[in-house]
Amino acid sequence: MCVIVFTKVTGQAQKVPGQLKDDSCVCKINSSIWTFPAARFLEVTTQVQTCENNLDEFHNKVSTQNVDLPKMKATLKNLTARLKRFEYLQTSGLYNALHLQQLNQELQKIHLAIRETYIHNPQKAQNLLDELSQAKSDVEKMYKDDTFNLETMKKRLRNLNNRVQTSRTIANDFRSSCHQRIMTNISSPIVTKLNSVSKSYISGAWGQDASLTSKQLYWEHCLVSGHKHGNTIRIYNSYEDFMGNKNYKDEPIAASYSDKNAVQGSGTILYDNTVFYQCYSKAEICSFNITTKTTKRINLDGAGIDNKFPFCYYSCRDWTDIDLEADQDAVWVIYATDENHGNIVLSRLDPVELNITHTWKTHLFKRSVTSTFMVCGVLYATRYVNTYQEEVFYAFDTLTGQEINTLSVPFEKVAAGIANLNYNPADQKLYLYNDAYLLAYDTFF
């Protein structure tokens, strides 16, 4: 019998008994004691690599923060320094005084409007002046008591101003033909066709000349520059020509898509052979007379453009900040302003002189609707129901200044997006530009 001594990897000695054979010591050895722990080594290696990656990531974050923190500190210091000089506004009450000064200026404007509007109706003027006087007293009381409820006061003044605007001089035939009527139903589409250019042109407008005295001209306007700009309008002399895409004439509105007189957005309308639209990259309204080839423009004070206040609801439709609509004897412009908190502002335009005759401020947030149209001095708004259905849910009556948001007049469509919706008083139809498709509907009151 013999003994063989082995040394393990751990450094420990192990004796293994054996048998002498031919001057050699022969024994059985369990080789597992020398097996390399590959699986364990791989696991440890992975953990080490993970630790290294985490350390590298942490190091990068620390490095980035070391760069950004001084910048943030400098920015905050700069802001603090810039705001320091305005501390007195709060401590001295001047901040509130500035708001009151703005309210007083608005009161003065309304006072002048009342004097101009009711020059031949002193009794009605006096009633409104009494209400205005009460508002002035409330403003003075707010200043004296240092108690401010600016939003409530602004709402009162907005309602008072709308009433004055409603009563300003409007042609008699407008009022007699537009007595109070509310839309009750919209038919299924009576016209459904693809636009005459391409299915890829998903934004634009179409319809019939909205003037009651104009020739029956059908028109089509597609935005061809990134669904944003256009410079031509396609004119058809008859319904048959329009449906057959024949005998049309492309009238140039501007020399190019980037010309100062080019069209921006899909809020275009044709009224009395004149195209009304938003001017290229400006908060301005342009009118292009097709006969005389002349262009006029007017500034739209405070109007949001470049997707600041587009139509939205389900998803926003780019370049729909300004919407032009037409009625019996006027063109209407629908937009939103910061001053009215992004709510819709409605202005009535003289289509010949291209000046604003009246302006109303609504409580309807413009981004909460998909489209608007005008019927007999009533502003209607729609909202998305699903891909194939829309709903008229809101109306604002310029004659009374009243708003209704409980309407439910559904109508069909063939695609989700709405680029333009306009009402034509000549044939009492709605015209919809629905993601490259052109639809028309009968309306009922």
Side-chain angles (χ1 to χ4, degrees), residues 56-101:
D56 289 341
E57 184 180 352
F58 180 74
H59 177 74
N60 291 335
K61 287 183 178 179
V62 171
S63 299
T64 302
Q65 290 176 356
N66 287 337
V67 174
D68 291 343
L69 284 175
K71 293 180 181 179
M72 295 171 63
K73 185 176 181 181
T75 301
L76 290 173
K77 185 177 180 180
N78 184 37
L79 286 173
T80 303
R82 289 165 58 190
L83 292 173
K84 185 75 175 176
R85 51 182 173 167
F86 297 108
E87 284 184 355
Y88 75 94
L89 292 178
Q90 180 64 35
T91 56
S92 66
L94 184 57
Y95 179 75
N96 292 331
L98 286 173
H99 280 88
L100 292 175
Q101 185 178 359

Side-chain angles (χ1 to χ4, degrees), residues 28-54:
K28 292 181 179 180
I29 303 298
N30 183 2
S31 63
S32 62
I33 62 175
W34 290 290
T35 301
F36 184 77
R40 178 62 177 163
F41 177 78
L42 182 60
E43 180 182 350
V44 172
T45 301
T46 302
Q47 292 178 353
V48 170
Q49 185 62 48
T50 301
C51 288
E52 290 180 352
N53 292 340
N54 290 339

Side-chain angles (χ1 to χ4, degrees), residues 325-387:
E325 300 289 336
D327 216 329
Q328 275 83 339
D329 66 339
V331 173
W332 304 82
V333 54
I334 296 129
Y335 56 103
T337 63
D338 285 325
E339 188 272 335
N340 200 37
H341 311 294
N343 296 326
I344 285 179
V345 177
L346 173 65
S347 291
R348 183 178 183 271
L349 301 179
D350 181 330
V352 177
E353 300 298 329
L354 196 63
N355 55 35
I356 296 176
T357 63
H358 305 72
T359 295
W360 292 264
K361 298 175 182 178
T362 75
H363 298 88
L364 181 63
F365 190 53
K366 190 169 183 293
R367 281 177 167 264
S368 69
V369 305
T370 51
S371 64
T372 53
F373 60 92
M374 293 293 301
V375 181
C376 289
V378 177
L379 170 70
Y380 290 91
T382 70
R383 61 187 171 195
Y384 177 93
V385 177
N386 57 50
T387 301

Side-chain angles (χ1 to χ4, degrees), residues 426-443:
D427 59 9
Q428 297 185 350
K429 289 181 173 57
L430 277 173
Y431 292 89
L432 171 65
Y433 197 107
N434 184 201
D435 279 348
Y437 290 92
L438 312 181
L439 283 70
Y441 309 82
D442 285 325
T443 58

Side-chain angles (χ1 to χ4, degrees), residues 280-351:
Y280 179 86
S281 294
K282 296 288 185 181
E284 297 177 353
I285 301 303
C286 283
S287 68
F288 174 76
N289 187 295
I290 295 176
T291 303
T292 63
K293 311 299 182 186
T294 56
T295 301
K296 296 180 181 179
R297 56 201 303 137
I298 182 176
N299 187 53
L300 207 55
D301 291 335
I305 62 170
D306 295 333
N307 296 326
K308 186 172 186 178
F309 297 120
F311 288 128
C312 291
Y313 195 79
Y314 176 68
S315 62
C316 289
R317 189 75 180 201
D318 289 345
W319 321 117
T320 55
D321 301 85
I322 296 177
D323 184 29
L324 278 298
E325 300 289 336
D327 216 329
Q328 275 83 339
D329 66 339
V331 173
W332 304 82
V333 54
I334 296 129
Y335 56 103
T337 63
D338 285 325
E339 188 272 335
N340 200 37
H341 311 294
N343 296 326
I344 285 179
V345 177
L346 173 65
S347 291
R348 183 178 183 271
L349 301 179
D350 181 330

